[in-house]
Amino acid sequence: MKIAVDAMGGDYAPANNIGGVKLALESLPSIDRLFLTGDKPAIEAELERQQVPTGKLEIVHTTEVVGMDESPAKAVRRKKDSSISVAVGLVKEGASDAVVSAGNTGAAVAAATLKLRNLPGVERAGIASALPSEHGVCNVIDVGANVDAKPRHLLQYAIMGAVYSRVIFGVENPKVGLMSVGSEEAKGNEFTRGVFSMLRGSGLNFVGNIEGHDLFESGIDVVVCDGFTGNVVLKSCEATANILMKWLKAELKKTPLRMAGAWIARNAFRTLKKRGSYETIGGSPLLGTNGTTIIAHGSSSPLAMMNAIRVAAESIEHRVNPHIEEEIAKLASPEKPTPAQEEAVHA
Amino acid sequence: MKIAVDAMGGDYAPANNIGGVKLALESLPSIDRLFLTGDKPAIEAELERQQVPTGKLEIVHTTEVVGMDESPAKAVRRKKDSSISVAVGLVKEGASDAVVSAGNTGAAVAAATLKLRNLPGVERAGIASALPSEHGVCNVIDVGANVDAKPRHLLQYAIMGAVYSRVIFGVENPKVGLMSVGSEEAKGNEFTRGVFSMLRGSGLNFVGNIEGHDLFESGIDVVVCDGFTGNVVLKSCEATANILMKWLKAELKKTPLRMAGAWIARNAFRTLKKRGSYETIGGSPLLGTNGTTIIAHGSSSPLAMMNAIRVAAESIEHRVNPHIEEEIAKLASPEKPTPAQEEAVHA
């Protein structure tokens, strides 16, 4: 398997990107080749510094980088030789099976959408982000690829999110919820009520509206929402977790006694940190394009980068895209019953 | 000052409502009279059980209650003798200065909107919810009164939120942010870009787009958003805090050693819990109606109820509504410069 890594994207590039590559080489035997796109001298220096074995690596030199704050569409159109564009290009020409980037999310989405195009029948690609939950993970889709979504886009997100939940997380019949402001069908706004009726007739295991309260403890596997809502939810959850941990740390440092207690119980904090961290979950897939694109957190650590590469590898191994194509095709030809409808007929 | 308390609304009514009334009588000397609306025998039994002094209390018997899951508009129209409707009615007829409810939020909003009507010039009322932040509080408006908002509603929310921040929290020139998915002006969706240009010309201290990341640490005083987004944000933040504390507790209970450490540092956890709790912040005002309506959390404790009553008292004392009327009037007659414009002229 071959994966292209945008070596220059992210807040701590190329150091953490190369750190992730090193970890991936050590722990993911299915990888045959990693393309590293970016400034060759900088990448080589970092490989040298971190003593990364280069046997499976291929550096593809690029002269440009899309900054974290640049306008994505413009940057992708203008900077033809940016590390993200070239990495996506490797997927397009078939040299690489997938691309991983921790850079400007909008640029990664724009490059993938423009170069790879969507899978047959898919109208808009969406980013699925996995939140840690009581029972495993809860995939929220879309978290920002499509901020002016139409209800039918969310129907497709539900289908793609359910496929991802099934083939990557092994959930047999994923529970799909619609992010809203109350559980009853009438709750929500005009937009979500339109999505609700589509999801009810979809053949998916649709459990109805859910609320922010249900993200972590209700056993929902897939939460669908427009990209604006999903992005705000994701960042608000992250901000809450960060501030709570910050305040807890400050409180624990206030007296020597508290510090002693915290030191004694330190393993509890370590485990909690690991459980709540995006580092261990890995990157978020952009679902719906004709290629595998994994978006890592902008401030990814080496571990987070490695896990994003792992998610890319798993997406290919478990054939996420062929499965999505199959399910989306059923939507286009409704005479073909969905698994749930078939079951109902045979029951 | 006279305040009407919906004694039957909320998950733990009437016990916690009466508990809050008792605390309010003890700690808020400005209160002359508290009306308690609801089932008289049930309220009397609870007053007796909690040994509440009844000198300043007046029970207004009602025969109906709006359930937490009922359709708000229907319930308010049909249940004329519900505890929330009657409580709002007391404000309408001038017997009470404000109303406090922990019951069905939609019903409280519907009752207040229908009976009290909006302040002159206000198109839609909005709920302002105060999140604890690094520098004090961050008021998010609207968190659910108006889920199909228009951009101009958000302009009014910004004005009302800034007034509230100024007169209740003493922030001189509140920083107003627009909830979006990136800080640059072009970020967001069609809706937020429309709001952005209105806010820029408003004379408010508008700092631009903010993201979920900015809620707690950026020093923003007022965050404006449509009621759908605000509700989802609020509940997602609450859910994140709850699950983190649950996971931390579980980790700390895993071994005797960790338990010992946690016990030694216990005051840190107590302070943190208090800091992050809605209990101490009090209720959320419904801003924009011709009356003072404070919405308490559905699962309010006695302390939370007391603080909601306190917020009602402060809103009246500090004349929130007259201030809102004044600022909204400036919007209607733009020839009258806003304070910021005046300052610019004199600078």
Side-chain angles (χ1 to χ4, degrees):
Chain A
M1 173 177 322
K2 296 163 192 161
I3 297 173
V5 177
D6 170 3
M8 310 307 283
D11 299 333
Y12 306 106
N16 286 5
N17 307 36
I18 301 300
V21 162
K22 187 180 180 185
L23 292 174
L25 290 171
E26 287 163 10
S27 60
L28 304 172
S30 65
I31 290 178
D32 302 311
R33 182 155 293 271
L34 287 178
F35 296 96
L36 308 182
T37 63
D39 183 61
K40 199 170 181 183
I43 294 171
E44 281 176 338
E46 203 54 47
L47 288 170
E48 172 77 21
R49 195 181 66 82
Q50 298 191 38
Q51 304 195 331
V52 185
T54 55
K56 289 183 174 179
L57 303 184
E58 185 171 335
I59 300 172
V60 181
H61 180 66
T62 67
T63 55
E64 296 172 300
V65 179
V66 176
M68 295 304 267
D69 289 334
E70 281 190 71
S71 162
K74 269 188 212 162
V76 168
R77 271 196 304 269
R78 285 182 197 165
K79 294 187 168 174
K80 303 283 185 204
D81 199 38
S82 69
S83 56
I84 178 64
S85 271
V86 171
V88 172
L90 289 168
V91 177
K92 189 189 176 183
E93 66 196 38
S96 174
D97 300 303
V99 54
V100 173
S101 177
N104 184 316
T105 297
V109 171
T113 310
L114 291 170
K115 286 186 187 242
L116 306 176
R117 302 282 165 183
N118 289 346
L119 288 168
V122 172
E123 285 190 63
R124 290 296 191 96
I127 302 170
S129 187
L131 295 178
S133 77
E134 278 280 276
H135 70 299
V137 300
C138 171
N139 281 295
V140 181
I141 178 169
D142 168 40
V143 299
N146 178 13
V147 294
D148 281 303
K150 302 273 176 268
R152 61 179 187 279
H153 301 158
L154 269 69
L155 170 60
Q156 298 198 334
Y157 291 157
I159 292 168
M160 296 194 288
V163 165
Y164 192 73
S165 201
R166 183 158 54 83
V167 304
I168 295 294
F169 296 102
V171 181
E172 209 165 311
N173 192 18
K175 284 185 194 162
V176 177
L178 170 62
M179 183 56 90
S180 186
V181 297
S183 54
E184 305 80 27
E185 182 175 347
K187 288 282 172 75
N189 56 16
E190 219 186 300
F191 177 81
T192 63
R193 283 191 293 271
V195 181
F196 192 104
S197 58
M198 283 183 171
L199 286 173
R200 196 171 38 192
S202 67
L204 290 163
N205 185 8
F206 176 52
V207 300
N209 283 330
I210 67 141
E211 299 180 82
H213 286 152
D214 302 314
L215 283 170
F216 306 103
E217 298 184 72
S218 65
I220 302 288
D221 301 295
V222 180
V223 170
V224 291
C225 52
D226 68 278
F228 182 87
T229 302
N231 193 275
V232 168
V233 164
L234 195 71
K235 288 173 180 166
S236 297
C237 290
E238 206 174 271
T240 306
N242 287 343
I243 197 74
L244 266 182
M245 289 299 110
K246 187 177 175 184
W247 287 349
L248 177 59
K249 215 170 170 179
E251 285 300 331
L252 288 170
K253 281 186 172 171
K254 268 193 185 157
T255 71
L257 193 68
R258 290 181 184 183
M259 282 172 78
W263 186 82
I264 292 170
R266 66 194 178 281
N267 285 335
F269 301 108
R270 281 185 195 154
T271 316
L272 179 70
K273 200 179 165 191
K274 211 173 153 189
R275 183 167 189 180
S277 169
Y278 57 85
E279 273 199 329
T280 38
I281 285 187
S284 302
L286 175 70
L287 299 178
T289 68
N290 191 14
T292 299
T293 306
I294 306 298
I295 291 160
H297 199 285
S299 49
S300 281
S301 64
L303 180 63
M305 279 304 293
M306 185 279 276
N307 276 311
I309 297 170
R310 176 182 54 74
V311 167
E314 289 175 356
S315 295
I316 300 158
E317 273 160 17
H318 293 99
R319 306 179 66 249
V320 167
N321 279 357
H323 281 108
I324 287 178
E325 267 195 73
E326 204 175 297
E327 294 299 323
I328 291 285
K330 285 180 194 163
L331 194 68
S333 52
E335 68 277 13
K336 220 165 155 184
T338 63
Q341 286 166 337
E342 259 175 356
E343 208 172 86
V345 168
H346 293 110
Chain B
M1 174 177 322
K2 296 163 191 163
I3 296 173
V5 177
D6 171 4
M8 310 306 281
D11 299 334
Y12 306 105
N16 287 5
N17 307 36
I18 301 300
V21 163
K22 188 180 180 185
L23 293 173
L25 290 172
E26 288 163 9
S27 60
L28 303 172
S30 66
I31 289 178
D32 302 309
R33 183 155 291 272
L34 287 178
F35 295 96
L36 308 181
T37 63
D39 183 61
K40 197 170 182 183
I43 294 171
E44 282 176 339
E46 203 54 48
L47 289 170
E48 173 76 23
R49 195 180 67 81
Q50 298 191 37
Q51 304 193 332
V52 185
T54 55
K56 289 184 173 179
L57 304 183
E58 184 172 335
I59 301 172
V60 181
H61 180 66
T62 68
T63 55
E64 295 173 300
V65 179
V66 176
M68 294 303 267
D69 288 335
E70 281 188 72
S71 160
K74 268 188 213 166
V76 168
R77 271 197 304 270
R78 286 183 196 163
K79 294 185 169 175
K80 304 281 184 204
D81 199 39
S82 69
S83 56
I84 178 65
S85 270
V86 171
V88 172
L90 290 168
V91 177
K92 189 189 176 182
E93 66 196 41
S96 175
D97 299 304
V99 53
V100 173
S101 177
N104 183 315
T105 298
V109 171
T113 311
L114 291 170
K115 285 185 189 243
L116 306 177
R117 302 282 166 182
N118 289 347
L119 289 168
V122 173
E123 285 190 63
R124 291 297 190 96
I127 302 170
S129 188
L131 294 178
S133 78
E134 279 279 276
H135 70 296
V137 299
C138 171
N139 281 297
V140 182
I141 178 168
D142 168 41
V143 299
N146 179 12
V147 294
D148 282 303
K150 303 273 176 268
R152 62 180 186 278
H153 300 159
L154 269 69
L155 169 61
Q156 297 198 334
Y157 290 158
I159 292 168
M160 297 194 287
V163 166
Y164 192 73
S165 203
R166 182 160 53 83
V167 303
I168 295 292
F169 296 102
V171 182
E172 208 165 313
N173 193 17
K175 284 186 193 162
V176 177
L178 171 61
M179 182 57 89
S180 187
V181 297
S183 55
E184 306 80 25
E185 181 175 349
K187 287 284 171 76
N189 55 18
E190 220 186 298
F191 176 81
T192 62
R193 283 192 293 272
V195 180
F196 192 104
S197 58
M198 284 184 171
L199 286 173
R200 195 172 36 193
S202 67
L204 290 163
N205 184 8
F206 177 52
V207 299
N209 284 329
I210 66 141
E211 300 182 83
H213 287 151
D214 302 313
L215 283 170
F216 306 104
E217 298 183 72
S218 66
I220 301 288
D221 300 296
V222 180
V223 171
V224 290
C225 53
D226 67 279
F228 183 89
T229 302
N231 193 276
V232 168
V233 164
L234 195 71
K235 288 174 179 166
S236 298
C237 291
E238 205 174 272
T240 306
N242 287 343
I243 198 74
L244 265 182
M245 288 300 110
K246 187 177 173 182
W247 288 349
L248 178 59
K249 214 170 170 179
E251 285 301 330
L252 288 170
K253 280 187 171 170
K254 267 194 185 155
T255 72
L257 193 68
R258 290 182 184 182
M259 282 171 78
W263 186 82
I264 292 170
R266 65 193 178 281
N267 285 336
F269 301 108
R270 281 184 197 153
T271 316
L272 179 70
K273 201 180 164 189
K274 211 173 153 188
R275 183 167 188 181
S277 169
Y278 57 85
E279 274 198 330
T280 36
I281 285 187
S284 303
L286 174 70
L287 298 179
T289 68
N290 191 12
T292 299
T293 305
I294 306 298
I295 290 161
H297 199 286
S299 48
S300 281
S301 64
L303 180 63
M305 280 303 295
M306 185 279 274
N307 275 312
I309 297 170
R310 176 182 54 74
V311 168
E314 288 174 356
S315 295
I316 300 158
E317 274 161 16
H318 297 282
R319 306 178 69 250
V320 168
N321 280 357
H323 280 108
I324 287 178
E325 266 193 76
E326 204 175 298
E327 293 300 323
I328 291 285
K330 286 181 193 162
L331 194 68
S333 52
E335 69 276 13
K336 220 165 156 184
T338 63
Q341 287 167 335
E342 261 174 355
E343 205 171 90
V345 168
H346 293 110

